[in-house]
Amino acid sequence: MEQKLETKGKGKVCVTGASGFFASWLVKRLLLSGYYVIGTVRDPGNVKKVDHLWRLEGAKERLRLVKADLMEPGSFDDAVLGCHGVFHTASPVLDATHSKAETLEPAIEGTLNVLRSCRKNPSLRRVVLTSSSSTVRVREEFDPKIPLDESSWTSVELCERLKLWYALAKTLAEKAAWEFCNENGIDLVTVLPSVIIGPSLSPDLCYTATIVLGLLKGETEAFQSLGRVGYVHIDDAALSHILAFENQDAQGRYICSSIVLEIDDLASRLSSRYPLFPIWKRFEASNRPYYDYNMSKAEKLGMKFKSVEEMFDDCIASLLEQGHLSSP
């Protein structure tokens, strides 16, 4: 029997990759805000992957999950049809073991496949694309005294040379999205979160949560690789996407980050806050140049970012609650 969605509320939106770490939280916030949501997943029948979505408040009345695959042209047609907004968050799960081809193709072609489906939807008002702050900060030269803003773009050549496939994939995917939307008259806004930290709705930990878990257990290698990066609470990342969709004056790119820290600074803060966890304090100095972000554009949307302490408090509480971490 086909599920009937409530037609009242703020309207219908689509979230791609709905079962992912960030996308699940975005679905939660959209449901709480009164939207009814079409979520795309690889397999709607995989209870382990999607059960946490059905437990969300409002899910039974205002959530429908449909099958779609980033690499299958046209598979998003039915999902986006009739939606006023599309939040494209779906992205390949990436870590250092993935090759250049494994990283770039699903990120770029997957984004274009979603946008091709959006082009067929006469009801569409806006697409909000989840990009990344890594599309801004990988550069040969910049003035460390001037915070990076949305006008900055990561150097493709530098990514190639350093084999930074994630940053390269995100940069090329966002550029491809801008080119396609400009050519096809699609209203696009992109949100560029830094490292997203916070509670996980899914029992399966994402790559970032796994790194945090390792840090709390005294492991160092994965976290050392982060160097100097920005951090943002998952709830702030979700809210920024919703504000970018709802604000008619929103346009262009929006960096989404609470704070930028060196790994040794972060470890020092966390070890002081959680002295019973074996958090390693001696991290090597990062070879990345000093940088910060200019957050004025996101703040004009109404964003007020949570502190790094709040995001890690919520993340650790989630790890404890789900049994991934034991109380010291």
Side-chain angles (χ1 to χ4, degrees):
M1 182 177 178
E2 186 176 352
Q3 177 191 5
K4 290 186 178 180
L5 297 181
E6 289 186 358
T7 56
K8 297 180 181 179
K10 288 192 173 182
K12 185 166 68 170
V13 296
C14 175
V15 177
T16 66
S19 62
F21 169 60
F22 168 65
S24 294
W25 198 270
L26 177 58
V27 170
K28 173 183 176 177
R29 280 299 175 198
L30 287 166
L31 290 172
L32 289 174
S33 297
Y35 290 95
Y36 55 103
V37 180
I38 308 297
T40 71
V41 293
R42 291 183 180 180
D43 181 7
N46 188 332
V47 176
K48 182 181 177 182
K49 293 287 187 181
V50 305
D51 189 54
H52 65 282
L53 294 173
W54 290 120
R55 294 197 300 268
L56 295 174
E57 183 178 339
K60 291 182 179 179
E61 299 80 20
R62 289 181 282 108
L63 175 66
R64 181 161 66 93
L65 298 180
V66 299
K67 178 180 175 63
D69 190 318
L70 283 176
M71 300 310 295
E72 184 180 331
S75 69
F76 290 87
D77 287 0
D78 291 340
V80 306
L81 187 64
C83 289
H84 300 129
V86 173
F87 295 86
H88 178 41
T89 75
S91 183
V93 179
L94 306 172
D95 58 38
T97 66
H98 287 79
S99 68
K100 177 181 178 181
E102 289 174 325
T103 307
L104 264 60
E105 186 177 3
I108 300 169
E109 193 59 31
T111 295
L112 291 175
N113 277 335
V114 172
L115 292 175
R116 291 182 186 113
S117 293
C118 289
R119 181 175 56 185
K120 303 172 186 177
N121 176 17
S123 302
L124 184 69
R125 296 176 188 166
R126 175 171 288 171
V127 174
V128 180
L129 169 70
T130 307
S131 186
S132 166
S133 63
S134 65
T135 65
V136 166
R137 59 179 168 78
V138 185
R139 295 168 56 96
E140 294 274 13
E141 297 180 1
F142 58 86
D143 187 341
K145 298 178 182 178
I146 302 176
L148 295 170
D149 62 20
E150 289 80 2
S151 65
S152 172
W153 278 95
T154 275
S155 165
V156 170
E157 293 75 18
L158 185 58
C159 287
E160 292 273 9
R161 192 187 325 145
L162 300 179
K163 298 182 178 180
L164 301 176
W165 306 139
Y166 176 78
L168 180 60
K170 282 295 190 179
T171 301
L172 294 179
E174 188 186 345
K175 287 190 172 184
W178 279 115
E179 182 178 0
F180 183 92
C181 290
N182 287 335
E183 290 176 352
N184 290 277
I186 295 175
D187 185 348
L188 174 69
V189 175
T190 61
V191 179
L192 287 52
S194 53
V195 177
I196 297 175
I197 303 291
S200 177
L201 296 174
S202 168
D204 294 332
L205 294 184
C206 69
Y207 179 61
T208 304
T210 302
I211 293 178
V212 174
L213 182 61
L215 179 73
L216 297 170
K217 291 182 175 180
E219 301 166 8
T220 62
E221 184 175 352
F223 227 87
Q224 174 71 63
S225 65
L226 290 178
R228 180 176 180 81
V229 293
Y231 299 89
V232 66
H233 194 292
I234 191 169
D235 201 35
D236 288 341
L239 178 58
S240 66
H241 281 67
I242 295 173
L243 290 175
F245 173 66
E246 293 182 341
N247 190 323
Q248 293 184 358
D249 295 329
Q251 59 180 336
R253 314 170 78 205
Y254 288 87
I255 298 173
C256 178
S257 184
S258 170
I259 192 171
V260 180
L261 293 172
E262 289 284 355
I263 180 56
D264 57 345
D265 188 358
L266 176 65
S268 177
R269 292 185 185 211
L270 294 180
S271 61
S272 297
R273 194 168 182 83
Y274 304 101
L276 298 181
F277 286 110
I279 299 172
W280 191 255
K281 301 177 184 178
R282 300 176 183 177
F283 285 88
E284 297 178 11
S286 169
N287 59 2
R288 294 178 182 172
Y290 177 90
Y291 70 90
D292 209 338
Y293 293 125
N294 180 343
M295 293 308 305
S296 61
K297 192 176 180 187
E299 289 167 354
K300 288 179 181 177
L301 277 183
M303 285 302 305
K304 296 179 180 178
F305 292 96
K306 295 178 176 65
S307 68
V308 69
E309 288 80 13
E310 288 177 278
M311 64 183 83
F312 277 93
D313 284 351
D314 290 346
C315 177
I316 292 170
S318 174
L319 292 171
L320 289 168
E321 181 182 351
Q322 294 187 341
H324 297 294
L325 184 67
S326 300
S327 298

